[in-house]
Amino acid sequence: MRRPIIAGNWKMNKTPSETIKLISELKPLVAGANAQVVVCPTSVCLFAAKGAAEGSNIAIGAQNVFFEDAGAYTGEISCDSLLELGVEFVIIGHSERRQYFAETDETVNKKVLKALQKGLKPIICVGEHLKEKEHGITNEIVRMQTKLALEGVLANDIENIVIAYEPVWAIGTGLTATSQEANNTIREIRKAVGELYGEKAEDIRIQYGGSMNAGNASELMGMSDIDGGLIGGASLKAADFAKVVNY
Ligand code: 13P
């Protein structure tokens, strides 16, 4: 059985004081959740987030990490620093990082390997652009991104990985994949994982992301292969996010 996992990707929103406020509001609202709950604030808010989440069922995730241990990499963030702050998850390869910060399938893979080596749990983002969807090559794109991200990952680590299927055209647009479309693509991702790891693919949790909110969460979460959500806009208000968490 795969435990559902609902994660909020706050993107570049909320200051440290706002982080404390939002998590404090969220705590009582999600205390009884069946799903695992994760919030992913900006790096400079992680310390505040961890403190605010103390004693609750809210785990903390980062939005990025670098693939070297330490050294002359101005502006980058190490796994060790994240771990010291009590961070458990890290989003890797979000489409916004691929688009604006030159992340590639290769750097995504390096980050995944480093995170796993250090004991962080990657949330690996894959998803097709609108043009790719229009060409009918969604499955090819997500299969390729999935397999390249997992290159060199050991079978034992599969249970520590979450994959987020985020169709790029659905992010922040109010458009969502239909629950059936999302489920089919997620099935295809699981199949690709299975081609590498056999029945271990049944253990990997795969989220949907892209305009997921209180109104569509329960339908999406009701699908056979959708194990969670990666929530952007709707994770920025406690009441909204709590509704998704308690879908
Ligand atoms: P929205 O929920 O705002 O569409 O963002 C989805 C996303 O990119 C989560 O990582």
Side-chain angles (χ1 to χ4, degrees), residues 6-11 13-14 18 22-23 25-26 37-41 63 91 211-214 229-245:
I6 307 285
N9 173 10
W10 293 4
K11 308 191 179 185
N13 295 292
K14 306 291 174 190
E18 290 166 349
L22 178 50
I23 291 178
E25 289 167 1
L26 197 56
V37 186
V38 185
V39 296
C40 306
Q63 298 173 18
I91 299 171
S211 299
M212 190 164 162
N213 57 41
L230 187 56
I231 322 299
S235 71
L236 296 173
K237 287 197 182 131
D240 293 350
F241 187 56
K243 282 189 196 134
V244 180
V245 167

Side-chain angles (χ1 to χ4, degrees), residues 6-219:
I6 307 285
N9 173 10
W10 293 4
K11 308 191 179 185
M12 199 177 72
N13 295 292
K14 306 291 174 190
T15 63
S17 62
E18 290 166 349
T19 295
I20 293 169
K21 183 166 178 283
L22 178 50
I23 291 178
S24 305
E25 289 167 1
L26 197 56
K27 269 163 71 162
L29 302 180
V30 301
N34 170 44
Q36 188 169 19
V37 186
V38 185
V39 296
C40 306
T42 66
S43 295
V44 290
C45 293
L46 290 169
F47 182 75
K50 185 64 188 172
E54 207 60 60
S56 77
N57 59 334
I58 301 173
I60 307 298
Q63 298 173 18
N64 182 32
V65 72
F66 196 52
F67 52 74
E68 295 291 349
D69 286 338
Y73 305 104
T74 303
E76 284 298 336
I77 306 151
S78 71
C79 289
D80 286 340
S81 292
L82 295 180
L83 288 163
E84 202 174 304
L85 293 180
V87 170
E88 189 178 343
F89 292 90
V90 58
I91 299 171
I92 296 177
H94 192 280
S95 61
E96 287 149 19
R97 296 218 47 97
R98 294 179 192 252
Q99 181 178 353
Y100 303 123
F101 304 101
E103 294 245 330
T104 63
D105 289 322
E106 190 186 350
T107 60
V108 168
N109 175 244
K110 285 181 166 181
K111 290 178 176 197
V112 168
L113 292 174
K114 179 54 73 178
L116 289 169
Q117 181 207 329
K118 291 287 186 172
L120 287 165
K121 296 174 184 151
I123 300 176
I124 304 170
C125 299
V126 301
E128 83 285 6
H129 285 267
L130 183 58
K131 196 172 267 312
E132 293 159 344
K133 177 182 161 65
E134 287 168 352
H135 278 296
I137 55 171
T138 295
N139 288 348
E140 285 90 332
I141 296 293
V142 297
R143 286 172 57 79
M144 179 187 74
Q145 289 176 336
T146 300
K147 288 194 171 186
L148 291 175
L150 294 177
E151 195 161 334
V153 170
L154 302 174
N156 284 348
D157 268 326
I158 282 299
E159 64 198 34
N160 295 320
I161 293 177
V162 176
I163 296 178
Y165 167 54
E166 299 205 311
V168 180
W169 50 269
I171 294 176
T173 57
L175 302 171
T176 38
T178 64
S179 50
Q180 194 58 58
E181 262 178 339
N183 198 55
N184 289 346
T185 306
I186 285 176
R187 262 213 159 97
E188 200 60 34
I189 294 169
R190 198 179 303 286
K191 197 169 127 210
V193 176
E195 288 163 14
L196 298 173
Y197 300 99
E199 61 191 23
K200 284 258 175 202
E202 293 304 313
D203 298 338
I204 199 164
R205 293 182 293 176
I206 309 181
Q207 300 171 311
Y208 170 78
S211 299
M212 190 164 162
N213 57 41
N216 56 28
S218 68
E219 186 183 333

